[in-house]
Amino acid sequence: MACRRYSSTRHLQQQQPKLAYEWIVDGTVIPQSKIMDHEIDNDKEVIVFLHGLLGNAKNLRTPAKKLTQQLPHYNALLLDIRGHGNSSPSTIAKSQSTSFSQPHNFQSCVQDIFDTLSPLGLTGLNSPKAICGHSLGGRIALQYSHSLCTTAADTAQTIEPPRQTWVLDSVPGKADPSVHNVLRAISSLPRPIASKKWLIDTLVTKYSMDKGVAMWIATNLRDSGDGHKSLDWVFDLGIANELVQNFSDQDFVEMIHNVTTTTTNGKSSNDVNNDNNSMVQLVMAGKNKSWSDEIVSELESIPSFQKEESLRSSSLFQMHTLDKAGHWVHVDDLEGLLKLMVEGLKQ
Protein backbone atom coordinates (compact mmCIF):
# COMPACT_ATOMS: atom_id res chain seq x y z
CA MET A 1 0.00 0.00 0.00
CA ALA A 2 1.62 3.23 -1.14
CA CYS A 3 1.77 6.18 1.24
CA ARG A 4 -0.36 9.01 -0.10
CA ARG A 5 -0.56 12.56 1.20
CA TYR A 6 -3.18 14.27 3.33
CA SER A 7 -4.63 17.47 1.89
CA SER A 8 -4.62 20.40 4.30
CA THR A 9 -6.23 23.03 2.07
CA ARG A 10 -9.48 23.08 4.00
CA HIS A 11 -7.62 23.90 7.21
CA LEU A 12 -5.57 26.84 5.95
CA GLN A 13 -8.15 29.39 7.09
CA GLN A 14 -7.80 28.24 10.70
CA GLN A 15 -6.16 30.99 12.73
CA GLN A 16 -4.87 28.96 15.66
CA PRO A 17 -3.36 25.47 15.92
CA LYS A 18 -5.84 23.00 17.38
CA LEU A 19 -3.50 21.60 20.03
CA ALA A 20 -1.31 23.30 22.59
CA TYR A 21 2.37 22.91 21.73
CA GLU A 22 5.92 23.91 22.44
CA TRP A 23 9.08 23.84 20.34
CA ILE A 24 12.47 22.57 21.37
CA VAL A 25 15.31 24.01 19.33
CA ASP A 26 18.94 23.05 19.98
CA GLY A 27 17.93 21.75 23.39
CA THR A 28 16.05 24.91 24.39
CA VAL A 29 12.33 24.97 25.18
CA ILE A 30 10.29 27.62 23.37
CA PRO A 31 6.79 27.67 24.93
CA GLN A 32 3.78 28.53 22.81
CA SER A 33 3.36 31.82 24.70
CA LYS A 34 6.85 32.92 23.63
CA ILE A 35 6.79 31.72 20.06
CA MET A 36 6.43 35.25 18.62
CA ASP A 37 9.78 36.14 20.20
CA HIS A 38 11.64 33.43 18.30
CA GLU A 39 12.21 32.52 14.69
CA ILE A 40 11.95 28.78 13.99
CA ASP A 41 14.38 27.66 11.31
CA ASN A 42 12.23 26.16 8.53
CA ASP A 43 15.31 24.58 6.96
CA LYS A 44 15.54 22.11 9.85
CA GLU A 45 13.67 18.83 9.89
CA VAL A 46 10.88 18.36 12.44
CA ILE A 47 10.08 15.47 14.76
CA VAL A 48 6.73 15.48 16.59
CA PHE A 49 6.49 14.08 20.14
CA LEU A 50 3.24 12.74 21.66
CA HIS A 51 2.92 11.95 25.38
CA GLY A 52 1.02 9.13 27.07
CA LEU A 53 -2.34 8.85 28.83
CA LEU A 54 -2.87 11.39 31.66
CA GLY A 55 0.41 13.06 30.73
CA ASN A 56 1.40 16.19 28.85
CA ALA A 57 4.06 17.49 26.50
CA LYS A 58 6.46 18.26 29.35
CA ASN A 59 6.87 14.52 29.98
CA LEU A 60 8.97 14.23 26.81
CA ARG A 61 11.01 17.40 27.15
CA THR A 62 14.20 15.66 28.29
CA PRO A 63 14.52 13.20 25.36
CA ALA A 64 13.49 15.94 22.94
CA LYS A 65 16.09 18.34 24.33
CA LYS A 66 18.89 15.81 24.13
CA LEU A 67 17.83 14.59 20.69
CA THR A 68 17.91 18.09 19.20
CA GLN A 69 21.32 18.65 20.75
CA GLN A 70 22.71 15.44 19.24
CA LEU A 71 20.88 15.96 15.93
CA PRO A 72 21.04 19.75 15.48
CA HIS A 73 19.35 19.55 12.06
CA TYR A 74 16.14 18.56 13.90
CA ASN A 75 13.64 20.72 15.78
CA ALA A 76 11.16 18.99 18.08
CA LEU A 77 7.47 19.89 18.27
CA LEU A 78 5.82 18.65 21.48
CA LEU A 79 2.02 18.45 21.50
CA ASP A 80 -0.59 18.13 24.24
CA ILE A 81 -3.15 15.66 22.87
CA ARG A 82 -6.86 16.41 23.27
CA GLY A 83 -8.07 16.41 26.85
CA HIS A 84 -4.53 16.64 28.24
CA GLY A 85 -2.24 19.41 29.45
CA ASN A 86 -3.00 22.76 27.85
CA SER A 87 -5.25 21.04 25.31
CA SER A 88 -7.71 20.16 28.07
CA PRO A 89 -11.03 22.07 28.20
CA SER A 90 -10.23 22.95 31.81
CA THR A 91 -7.05 24.82 30.84
CA ILE A 92 -8.01 26.36 27.49
CA ALA A 93 -8.68 30.09 27.77
CA LYS A 94 -12.36 30.97 27.48
CA SER A 95 -11.57 33.37 24.66
CA GLN A 96 -10.06 30.58 22.57
CA SER A 97 -12.44 28.90 20.17
CA THR A 98 -10.77 25.50 20.37
CA SER A 99 -13.10 22.66 21.32
CA PHE A 100 -12.88 18.90 21.09
CA SER A 101 -16.06 17.28 19.88
CA GLN A 102 -16.85 13.60 20.03
CA PRO A 103 -15.95 10.96 19.17
CA HIS A 104 -12.87 11.00 21.38
CA ASN A 105 -10.90 8.35 19.52
CA PHE A 106 -7.51 7.95 17.89
CA GLN A 107 -8.64 9.22 14.50
CA SER A 108 -9.97 12.41 16.11
CA CYS A 109 -6.58 12.81 17.81
CA VAL A 110 -4.92 12.47 14.41
CA GLN A 111 -7.24 15.09 12.95
CA ASP A 112 -6.21 17.40 15.81
CA ILE A 113 -2.58 16.94 14.76
CA PHE A 114 -3.43 17.76 11.14
CA ASP A 115 -5.28 20.86 12.38
CA THR A 116 -2.17 21.89 14.30
CA LEU A 117 0.49 21.24 11.67
CA SER A 118 -1.32 23.15 8.92
CA PRO A 119 -1.52 26.54 10.70
CA LEU A 120 2.13 26.11 11.71
CA GLY A 121 3.11 25.72 8.05
CA LEU A 122 4.28 22.13 8.53
CA THR A 123 2.98 20.88 5.22
CA GLY A 124 4.54 19.87 1.90
CA LEU A 125 8.33 19.82 2.11
CA ASN A 126 8.09 21.22 5.65
CA SER A 127 6.03 18.26 6.90
CA PRO A 128 7.46 16.49 9.97
CA LYS A 129 10.04 13.89 8.96
CA ALA A 130 9.41 11.81 12.07
CA ILE A 131 6.86 11.31 14.82
CA CYS A 132 7.48 9.71 18.21
CA GLY A 133 4.90 8.71 20.80
CA HIS A 134 5.02 7.05 24.19
CA SER A 135 2.32 4.55 25.23
CA LEU A 136 -1.01 6.15 24.16
CA GLY A 137 1.05 8.65 22.16
CA GLY A 138 2.68 5.78 20.29
CA ARG A 139 -0.71 4.43 19.26
CA ILE A 140 -1.74 7.87 18.00
CA ALA A 141 1.59 8.27 16.18
CA LEU A 142 0.99 4.98 14.37
CA GLN A 143 -2.59 6.02 13.55
CA TYR A 144 -1.23 9.32 12.18
CA SER A 145 1.22 7.60 9.85
CA HIS A 146 -1.38 5.06 8.78
CA SER A 147 -3.85 7.84 7.97
CA LEU A 148 -1.29 9.55 5.77
CA CYS A 149 -0.61 6.25 4.00
CA THR A 150 -4.25 5.57 3.24
CA THR A 151 -5.79 8.99 2.56
CA ALA A 152 -5.83 10.29 -1.00
CA ALA A 153 -4.75 13.89 -1.53
CA ASP A 154 -6.65 16.24 -3.80
CA THR A 155 -4.27 19.22 -3.96
CA ALA A 156 -0.58 20.03 -3.82
CA GLN A 157 -0.92 21.58 -0.34
CA THR A 158 -0.47 18.42 1.72
CA ILE A 159 0.99 16.88 4.84
CA GLU A 160 3.56 14.30 3.83
CA PRO A 161 3.87 10.97 5.67
CA PRO A 162 6.79 10.85 8.10
CA ARG A 163 9.85 8.90 7.08
CA GLN A 164 9.97 7.32 10.54
CA THR A 165 7.40 6.53 13.23
CA TRP A 166 8.78 5.80 16.72
CA VAL A 167 6.45 3.84 19.00
CA LEU A 168 7.68 3.72 22.60
CA ASP A 169 6.36 0.78 24.64
CA SER A 170 2.85 0.79 23.17
CA VAL A 171 1.58 -2.77 23.60
CA PRO A 172 -1.01 -3.90 21.01
CA GLY A 173 -4.50 -4.89 22.09
CA LYS A 174 -6.70 -3.73 24.93
CA ALA A 175 -5.37 -1.53 27.71
CA ASP A 176 -3.56 -3.20 30.59
CA PRO A 177 -5.81 -3.74 33.65
CA SER A 178 -3.57 -1.37 35.63
CA VAL A 179 -4.68 1.47 33.35
CA HIS A 180 -8.34 0.83 34.13
CA ASN A 181 -7.50 0.57 37.84
CA VAL A 182 -5.87 4.01 37.82
CA LEU A 183 -8.74 5.57 35.90
CA ARG A 184 -11.34 4.03 38.22
CA ALA A 185 -9.45 5.25 41.27
CA ILE A 186 -9.06 8.86 40.21
CA SER A 187 -12.58 8.97 38.73
CA SER A 188 -14.03 7.97 42.12
CA LEU A 189 -12.28 10.73 44.08
CA PRO A 190 -14.29 13.75 45.26
CA ARG A 191 -13.52 17.02 43.47
CA PRO A 192 -12.06 19.50 44.04
CA ILE A 193 -9.05 17.77 45.58
CA ALA A 194 -7.88 19.03 48.95
CA SER A 195 -4.12 18.81 48.40
CA LYS A 196 -1.39 16.83 46.65
CA LYS A 197 -0.50 15.13 49.95
CA TRP A 198 -4.11 14.03 50.47
CA LEU A 199 -4.26 12.69 46.92
CA ILE A 200 -1.04 10.66 47.23
CA ASP A 201 -1.97 9.27 50.66
CA THR A 202 -5.46 8.31 49.45
CA LEU A 203 -4.25 6.59 46.28
CA VAL A 204 -1.62 4.62 48.20
CA THR A 205 -3.69 3.63 51.25
CA LYS A 206 -7.20 3.27 49.84
CA TYR A 207 -6.40 2.03 46.34
CA SER A 208 -3.06 0.27 47.00
CA MET A 209 -1.42 2.25 44.25
CA ASP A 210 2.35 2.32 43.87
CA LYS A 211 3.63 5.49 45.53
CA GLY A 212 5.71 6.45 42.49
CA VAL A 213 2.62 6.27 40.25
CA ALA A 214 0.58 8.21 42.82
CA MET A 215 3.22 10.94 42.97
CA TRP A 216 3.27 11.16 39.17
CA ILE A 217 -0.52 11.48 39.06
CA ALA A 218 -0.27 14.28 41.62
CA THR A 219 1.80 16.31 39.13
CA ASN A 220 -1.36 16.61 37.01
CA LEU A 221 -3.15 19.01 39.33
CA ARG A 222 -3.99 22.69 38.92
CA ASP A 223 -5.68 25.37 40.98
CA SER A 224 -9.42 24.64 40.83
CA GLY A 225 -10.21 28.34 40.74
CA ASP A 226 -12.84 28.15 43.49
CA GLY A 227 -10.93 30.51 45.74
CA HIS A 228 -10.32 27.89 48.43
CA LYS A 229 -6.81 26.76 47.43
CA SER A 230 -8.20 23.42 46.31
CA LEU A 231 -7.03 21.51 43.24
CA ASP A 232 -8.47 19.79 40.19
CA TRP A 233 -7.15 17.67 37.33
CA VAL A 234 -5.29 19.22 34.43
CA PHE A 235 -6.60 16.48 32.15
CA ASP A 236 -10.20 15.76 31.16
CA LEU A 237 -11.19 12.44 32.74
CA GLY A 238 -14.09 11.92 30.36
CA ILE A 239 -11.88 12.20 27.28
CA ALA A 240 -9.19 10.01 28.85
CA ASN A 241 -11.69 7.25 29.61
CA GLU A 242 -13.07 7.34 26.06
CA LEU A 243 -9.60 7.15 24.52
CA VAL A 244 -8.80 4.04 26.55
CA GLN A 245 -11.92 2.35 25.17
CA ASN A 246 -10.42 2.83 21.71
CA PHE A 247 -7.38 0.66 22.47
CA SER A 248 -8.96 -2.65 21.50
CA ASP A 249 -10.42 -1.16 18.29
CA GLN A 250 -7.01 -0.37 16.82
CA ASP A 251 -5.56 -3.03 14.52
CA PHE A 252 -2.01 -2.31 15.57
CA VAL A 253 -0.32 -5.10 13.59
CA GLU A 254 -2.24 -4.45 10.39
CA MET A 255 -1.43 -0.74 10.58
CA ILE A 256 2.30 -1.45 10.83
CA HIS A 257 1.98 -3.79 7.86
CA ASN A 258 0.18 -1.13 5.80
CA VAL A 259 2.61 1.65 6.70
CA THR A 260 5.77 -0.36 5.99
CA THR A 261 4.72 -2.28 2.88
CA THR A 262 4.01 -0.37 -0.31
CA THR A 263 2.78 -1.59 -3.65
CA THR A 264 4.28 -0.19 -6.83
CA ASN A 265 3.35 -1.50 -10.28
CA GLY A 266 1.67 -4.47 -8.65
CA LYS A 267 4.77 -5.49 -6.69
CA SER A 268 5.04 -5.29 -2.92
CA SER A 269 8.09 -3.62 -1.44
CA ASN A 270 9.43 -3.17 2.06
CA ASP A 271 12.80 -1.78 1.03
CA VAL A 272 14.14 0.87 3.38
CA ASN A 273 15.52 2.75 0.35
CA ASN A 274 12.13 3.01 -1.36
CA ASP A 275 10.98 6.63 -1.11
CA ASN A 276 7.33 5.52 -0.96
CA ASN A 277 7.90 3.60 2.24
CA SER A 278 7.69 4.74 5.85
CA MET A 279 9.66 3.09 8.65
CA VAL A 280 8.21 2.02 12.01
CA GLN A 281 10.57 1.71 14.97
CA LEU A 282 9.00 -0.11 17.94
CA VAL A 283 10.83 0.20 21.27
CA MET A 284 9.82 -2.31 23.95
CA ALA A 285 10.54 -2.05 27.67
CA GLY A 286 12.36 -5.18 28.80
CA LYS A 287 10.72 -5.02 32.24
CA ASN A 288 7.18 -4.64 30.88
CA LYS A 289 5.61 -8.07 31.29
CA SER A 290 2.78 -7.18 28.90
CA TRP A 291 5.08 -8.04 25.99
CA SER A 292 4.04 -11.69 25.79
CA ASP A 293 5.64 -14.21 23.44
CA GLU A 294 2.36 -14.31 21.52
CA ILE A 295 2.34 -10.56 20.89
CA VAL A 296 6.02 -10.47 19.89
CA SER A 297 5.56 -13.45 17.56
CA GLU A 298 2.63 -11.76 15.83
CA LEU A 299 4.69 -8.60 15.33
CA GLU A 300 7.60 -10.62 13.94
CA SER A 301 5.22 -12.11 11.37
CA ILE A 302 4.81 -8.71 9.68
CA PRO A 303 6.48 -9.05 6.23
CA SER A 304 8.57 -5.91 6.64
CA PHE A 305 10.32 -7.35 9.72
CA GLN A 306 13.59 -9.16 9.07
CA LYS A 307 14.16 -12.07 11.43
CA GLU A 308 17.79 -12.39 10.42
CA GLU A 309 19.72 -10.04 12.68
CA SER A 310 22.19 -9.12 9.93
CA LEU A 311 19.30 -7.80 7.79
CA ARG A 312 17.35 -5.93 10.46
CA SER A 313 19.04 -2.59 9.89
CA SER A 314 17.57 -2.55 6.38
CA SER A 315 14.08 -3.52 7.54
CA LEU A 316 11.24 -1.03 7.43
CA PHE A 317 9.80 -2.45 10.64
CA GLN A 318 12.35 -2.68 13.41
CA MET A 319 11.87 -3.88 16.99
CA HIS A 320 14.19 -2.89 19.83
CA THR A 321 14.23 -3.95 23.49
CA LEU A 322 15.63 -1.80 26.28
CA ASP A 323 16.33 -4.46 28.90
CA LYS A 324 16.86 -2.04 31.79
CA ALA A 325 13.66 -0.07 31.21
CA GLY A 326 10.14 -0.29 32.55
CA HIS A 327 7.19 1.33 30.78
CA TRP A 328 8.69 4.84 31.04
CA VAL A 329 11.55 3.99 28.69
CA HIS A 330 12.51 7.65 28.26
CA VAL A 331 13.10 7.86 32.02
CA ASP A 332 14.45 4.41 32.87
CA ASP A 333 16.94 4.18 30.01
CA LEU A 334 17.20 7.59 28.41
CA GLU A 335 20.73 6.95 27.16
CA GLY A 336 19.72 3.68 25.50
CA LEU A 337 16.66 5.25 23.89
CA LEU A 338 18.64 8.21 22.57
CA LYS A 339 21.24 5.92 21.07
CA LEU A 340 18.52 4.05 19.18
CA MET A 341 16.82 7.20 17.99
CA VAL A 342 19.95 9.04 16.94
CA GLU A 343 21.20 6.06 14.96
CA GLY A 344 17.75 5.41 13.50
CA LEU A 345 17.05 8.98 12.44
CA LYS A 346 20.38 9.10 10.63
CA GLN A 347 19.19 6.33 8.28
Side-chain angles (χ1 to χ4, degrees), residues 7 16 30 40 51 87 113 119 129 152 215 255 297:
S7 173
Q16 295 293 330
I30 303 176
I40 306 298
H51 60 82
S87 295
I113 298 173
K129 294 299 187 293
M215 292 175 68
M255 283 188 173
S297 179

Tab-separated table of all heavy atoms in Angstrom, residues 7 16 30 40 51 87 113 119 129 152 215 255 297:
chain	number	residue	atom	x	y	z
A	7	SER	N	-4.413	16.099	2.321
A	7	SER	CA	-4.630	17.473	1.891
A	7	SER	C	-4.997	18.351	3.074
A	7	SER	O	-5.860	18.004	3.882
A	7	SER	CB	-5.761	17.534	0.863
A	7	SER	OG	-6.079	18.878	0.581
A	16	GLN	N	-5.678	29.488	14.571
A	16	GLN	CA	-4.867	28.959	15.655
A	16	GLN	C	-4.697	27.448	15.513
A	16	GLN	O	-5.621	26.758	15.092
A	16	GLN	CB	-5.526	29.257	17.007
A	16	GLN	CG	-5.609	30.730	17.352
A	16	GLN	CD	-4.241	31.340	17.596
A	16	GLN	OE1	-3.324	30.668	18.051
A	16	GLN	NE2	-4.096	32.615	17.300
A	30	ILE	N	10.957	26.383	23.775
A	30	ILE	CA	10.287	27.618	23.371
A	30	ILE	C	8.790	27.399	23.559
A	30	ILE	O	8.139	26.758	22.728
A	30	ILE	CB	10.593	27.994	21.911
A	30	ILE	CG1	12.108	28.116	21.698
A	30	ILE	CG2	9.887	29.295	21.534
A	30	ILE	CD1	12.504	28.391	20.258
A	40	ILE	N	11.678	30.210	14.157
A	40	ILE	CA	11.950	28.785	13.994
A	40	ILE	C	12.538	28.549	12.612
A	40	ILE	O	11.967	28.979	11.605
A	40	ILE	CB	10.666	27.945	14.170
A	40	ILE	CG1	9.996	28.273	15.515
A	40	ILE	CG2	10.982	26.462	14.071
A	40	ILE	CD1	10.837	27.963	16.713
A	51	HIS	N	2.837	12.533	24.040
A	51	HIS	CA	2.922	11.946	25.382
A	51	HIS	C	1.888	10.832	25.574
A	51	HIS	O	1.047	10.569	24.711
A	51	HIS	CB	2.713	13.029	26.432
A	51	HIS	CG	1.362	13.692	26.310
A	51	HIS	ND1	0.217	13.137	26.843
A	51	HIS	CD2	0.978	14.847	25.689
A	51	HIS	CE1	-0.811	13.919	26.574
A	51	HIS	NE2	-0.373	14.963	25.868
A	87	SER	N	-4.194	21.328	26.286
A	87	SER	CA	-5.248	21.041	25.314
A	87	SER	C	-6.481	20.465	26.004
A	87	SER	O	-7.360	19.900	25.359
A	87	SER	CB	-4.764	20.037	24.256
A	87	SER	OG	-3.729	20.573	23.467
A	113	ILE	N	-3.976	16.700	15.164
A	113	ILE	CA	-2.581	16.937	14.757
A	113	ILE	C	-2.542	17.608	13.388
A	113	ILE	O	-1.800	18.584	13.181
A	113	ILE	CB	-1.786	15.612	14.737
A	113	ILE	CG1	-1.741	14.996	16.134
A	113	ILE	CG2	-0.355	15.858	14.232
A	113	ILE	CD1	-1.131	13.602	16.176
A	119	PRO	N	-1.728	25.126	10.364
A	119	PRO	CA	-1.521	26.543	10.698
A	119	PRO	C	-0.059	26.882	11.008
A	119	PRO	O	0.352	28.035	10.875
A	119	PRO	CB	-2.404	26.740	11.944
A	119	PRO	CG	-3.407	25.654	11.888
A	119	PRO	CD	-2.695	24.492	11.286
A	129	LYS	N	9.360	15.069	9.515
A	129	LYS	CA	10.038	13.893	8.955
A	129	LYS	C	9.924	12.681	9.867
A	129	LYS	O	10.174	11.558	9.442
A	129	LYS	CB	11.516	14.219	8.710
A	129	LYS	CG	11.737	15.278	7.632
A	129	LYS	CD	11.193	14.815	6.285
A	129	LYS	CE	11.551	15.775	5.162
A	129	LYS	NZ	10.870	17.080	5.298
A	152	ALA	N	-6.187	9.684	0.283
A	152	ALA	CA	-5.829	10.287	-0.998
A	152	ALA	C	-5.813	11.809	-0.886
A	152	ALA	O	-6.656	12.413	-0.227
A	152	ALA	CB	-6.823	9.862	-2.069
A	215	MET	N	2.526	9.648	43.004
A	215	MET	CA	3.222	10.936	42.970
A	215	MET	C	3.203	11.532	41.572
A	215	MET	O	3.076	12.749	41.402
A	215	MET	CB	4.659	10.758	43.464
A	215	MET	CG	4.760	10.413	44.947
A	215	MET	SD	6.453	10.062	45.502
A	215	MET	CE	7.198	11.680	45.333
A	255	MET	N	-1.864	-2.104	10.891
A	255	MET	CA	-1.425	-0.743	10.581
A	255	MET	C	0.070	-0.702	10.289
A	255	MET	O	0.508	-0.038	9.344
A	255	MET	CB	-1.765	0.205	11.731
A	255	MET	CG	-3.225	0.592	11.783
A	255	MET	SD	-3.527	1.883	13.000
A	255	MET	CE	-5.242	2.249	12.648
A	297	SER	N	5.578	-12.554	18.727
A	297	SER	CA	5.558	-13.448	17.561
A	297	SER	C	4.672	-12.898	16.458
A	297	SER	O	5.021	-12.965	15.266
A	297	SER	CB	5.065	-14.832	17.989
A	297	SER	OG	5.005	-15.709	16.878
